[in-house]
Amino acid sequence: MSRYQSRRDKLRRSLSKTGAHAILVTNEHNVKYLTGFTGDSSYLLLSKDTELVLSDKRYTTQLAEECADLNVEVRGPESKMPEHIAAAVKSAGFASVAIEAATMTVGEHADLVGKVGAELVPSKGLVEKLRMIKDKEEVVQIRAAVECAQR
């Protein structure tokens, strides 16, 4: 199991605290932490049974390389992200979706409310709490950075 899969599994366990069926991860740092994807403008829709990266055509090759173990839906220029998200949520049949309340703007929320067909449940800090506890690889990287800085 990859470190990213392990992180997503931990988030799934935290998701139950929100009462939502899925979570839409919109913070690009959190998306990277959970998937390894280093691009931007991409979201992760995660539930008990779903792992879906939502992105656009600019990142098709990069997503194939960095997120080979994930389902990816790439939108074309004719589609906007709110419609792309709404289609994914409706297709999955989620009645409620947790959102990262500290990241999502009021405008993004307003764009989704009328389209998504599910209750949007504010959540705060679910991924950030996971990010606080460093895994072995992160500890090694931090130590290497400290050694480099000391030299």
Side-chain angles (χ1 to χ4, degrees):
M1 175 185 311
S2 78
R3 68 192 240 189
Y4 301 111
Q5 182 64 54
S6 175
R7 291 169 179 176
R8 291 190 301 270
D9 289 344
K10 288 177 185 175
L11 180 58
R12 281 187 177 90
R13 290 190 288 276
S14 298
L15 181 60
S16 65
K17 297 173 190 172
T18 69
H21 295 111
I23 183 168
L24 180 64
V25 181
T26 54
N27 178 307
E28 70 182 58
H29 301 291
N30 291 345
V31 172
K32 180 180 178 183
Y33 176 80
L34 295 166
T35 67
F37 179 61
T38 58
D40 59 14
S41 305
S42 301
Y43 299 159
L44 173 66
L45 183 63
L46 184 83
S47 73
K48 178 182 172 192
D49 303 315
T50 304
E51 297 180 333
L52 179 63
V53 177
L54 303 163
S55 192
D56 63 62
K57 287 191 178 200
R58 294 175 294 164
Y59 299 112
T60 303
T61 303
Q62 186 177 355
L63 284 161
E65 293 170 358
E66 295 178 351
C67 301
D69 63 330
L70 290 168
N71 293 321
V72 175
E73 284 191 12
V74 176
R75 68 179 176 85
E78 71 285 351
S79 168
K80 301 290 184 216
M81 187 58 90
E83 290 82 11
H84 193 54
I85 293 166
V89 170
K90 287 177 182 178
S91 174
F94 299 131
S96 58
V97 177
I99 57 168
E100 292 183 295
T103 302
M104 186 173 281
T105 68
V106 173
E108 290 168 330
H109 183 271
D111 284 345
L112 282 178
V113 165
K115 294 179 179 89
V116 79
E119 176 188 8
L120 298 178
V121 179
S123 69
K124 188 173 177 189
L126 292 179
V127 181
E128 288 80 356
K129 286 178 186 172
L130 297 176
R131 288 175 51 194
M132 285 183 203
I133 301 169
K134 305 303 179 200
D135 60 33
K136 290 178 185 178
E137 190 172 326
E138 288 173 302
V139 171
V140 168
Q141 291 172 340
I142 291 168
R143 286 189 176 135
V146 168
E147 288 173 10
C148 182
Q150 287 175 337
R151 280 183 283 202

